[in-house]
Amino acid sequence: MITRYTVFLLLFTISFNASSFNNDWGKTGHRVTGEIADNYLTEKAKRNIANILKGKGLAFVSIYADEIKSDDRYKGYSPWHYVNFSFDKKYGEETPSKQGDLVQGIQKCVEVLKSEDSSEDDKEFYLKMLVHFIGDLHQPLHVGRGEDKGGNDIQVRWFRDGSNLHRVWDSEMIDYYGMSYTELANNTDELSLSEIEAIKKGEVLDWIYESQSLAKKVYASANVGEKLGYKYMYNNFPIVRAQLQKGGIRLAKILNDIFG
Ligand code: ADE
Ligand code: ZN
Ligand code: ZN
């Protein structure tokens, strides 16, 4: 017999599972980064990229790395979406994961794209992966603590629903804001040339450390079980917007270096 309790249990299970483990800047975040990057590409880089992607845009391919998670043949790429290392150490002071991580993943993508020996198929694959991973790099909790899976194990409430800290930063805030990826990409903060230069400065590891230092603040921003809502959004969404914009500018920098 289907009692009210059974229905409640079913709904609870569905909503808990839906919210308990999901691993990426949501689709919107990745697409924003790709779309912003487009605006900073040189003409030559644009042409080369259009050739490799056969006309598909950076926003369109930005979620490919998540789509292939449903295919067991690509299982080996799952650890490439994040990197965990002690907050008081530099990357590499502890032995990096043998399964690979975000830093090694990005290195591999750049290597393949720079090599004259790479096949067209490999170039397409690794370009799509690179666009995604530069997005992930800018989600602070993708450079979070391993023991709580970058905040995935920290349950919180998002308004009335169950969620976790990682998911709040991947997608809840961005989705709550209610803008499409093009609207978000078209409404970035206006930056001076020197501000853009400051964002482009450095390399992947510098940006990883920047994300990790934001991750420390993110961990301090919420307690287990806390109900997060309007105030959390007000305090933290500006950081999300800034990270998406930096991600776009830095993705373009890397792509211009390779293809420009
Ligand atoms: N997703 C799954 N495991 C993770 C981790 N350790 N850090 C960040 N994101 C993750
Ligand atoms: Zn994530
Ligand atoms: Zn990812």
Side-chain angles (χ1 to χ4, degrees):
M1 193 176 75
I2 298 178
T3 61
R4 270 192 200 189
Y5 181 68
T6 321
V7 172
F8 169 78
L9 209 66
L10 202 71
L11 288 175
F12 180 81
T13 312
I14 291 167
S15 83
F16 183 79
N17 282 335
S19 63
S20 65
F21 205 79
N22 188 335
N23 278 322
D24 279 281
W25 261 153
K27 291 194 198 71
T28 307
H30 281 288
R31 287 173 174 155
V32 174
T33 299
E35 189 76 2
I36 293 174
D38 251 338
N39 300 330
Y40 289 89
L41 291 177
T42 63
E43 288 306 315
K44 187 171 171 212
K46 263 188 208 167
R47 275 198 306 278
N48 286 326
I49 289 168
N51 269 338
I52 294 174
L53 297 179
K54 306 180 184 82
K56 296 185 285 293
L58 296 182
F60 184 81
V61 302
S62 68
I63 56 166
Y64 174 76
D66 280 339
E67 289 168 342
I68 59 174
K69 283 178 177 168
S70 309
D71 186 334
D72 281 348
R73 285 175 302 171
Y74 297 105
K75 244 196 185 118
Y77 297 102
S78 293
W80 290 22
H81 292 253
Y82 55 88
V83 60
N84 310 119
F85 57 99
S86 297
F87 284 1
D88 56 358
K89 295 216 165 66
K90 292 284 170 201
Y91 178 80
E93 280 183 50
E94 295 159 340
T95 313
S97 162
K98 282 195 188 59
Q99 279 75 43
D101 59 30
L102 188 52
V103 175
Q104 298 169 61
I106 292 171
Q107 266 167 6
K108 170 76 181 177
C109 294
V110 171
E111 208 176 282
V112 172
L113 293 172
K114 279 188 169 166
S115 166
E116 290 182 1
D117 301 330
S118 303
S119 69
E120 287 307 303
D121 280 353
D122 273 357
K123 281 192 178 170
E124 180 177 358
F125 178 81
Y126 285 100
L127 176 53
K128 291 196 267 191
M129 300 297 269
L130 179 63
V131 174
H132 180 91
F133 294 141
I134 298 300
D136 278 346
L137 190 168
H138 288 84
Q139 204 285 51
L141 291 176
H142 279 239
V143 194
R145 297 189 298 235
E147 56 264 37
D148 54 44
K149 300 195 186 65
N152 271 298
D153 291 343
I154 301 179
Q155 302 297 319
V156 295
R157 299 200 74 73
W158 179 250
F159 290 89
R160 295 166 61 181
D161 298 327
S163 190
N164 66 65
L165 193 59
H166 189 99
R167 187 178 159 108
V168 166
W169 280 80
D170 264 358
S171 55
E172 305 276 28
M173 284 194 275
I174 295 174
D175 293 345
Y176 184 79
Y177 199 65
M179 273 191 168
S180 67
Y181 81 87
T182 45
E183 287 167 336
L184 280 166
N186 288 329
N187 286 283
T188 50
D189 285 341
E190 200 170 338
L191 298 172
S192 67
L193 280 180
S194 66
E195 284 170 323
I196 294 172
E197 282 315 307
I199 289 171
K200 284 161 75 176
K201 203 161 165 269
E203 50 185 83
V204 168
L205 272 184
D206 299 304
W207 308 333
I208 289 270
Y209 297 135
E210 184 188 74
S211 275
Q212 195 190 50
S213 105
L214 283 172
K216 286 181 208 170
K217 293 185 188 147
V218 173
Y219 280 115
S221 71
N223 296 313
V224 178
E226 195 174 336
K227 185 169 187 230
L228 308 177
Y230 295 117
K231 189 162 181 225
Y232 197 81
M233 205 48 208
Y234 179 72
N235 288 333
N236 294 288
F237 194 61
I239 303 175
V240 172
R241 283 187 66 228
Q243 285 302 100
L244 293 172
Q245 188 169 17
K246 283 184 205 168
I249 292 170
R250 289 167 177 169
L251 173 59
K253 175 192 170 169
I254 294 179
L255 296 176
N256 287 335
D257 283 349
I258 302 172
F259 298 114

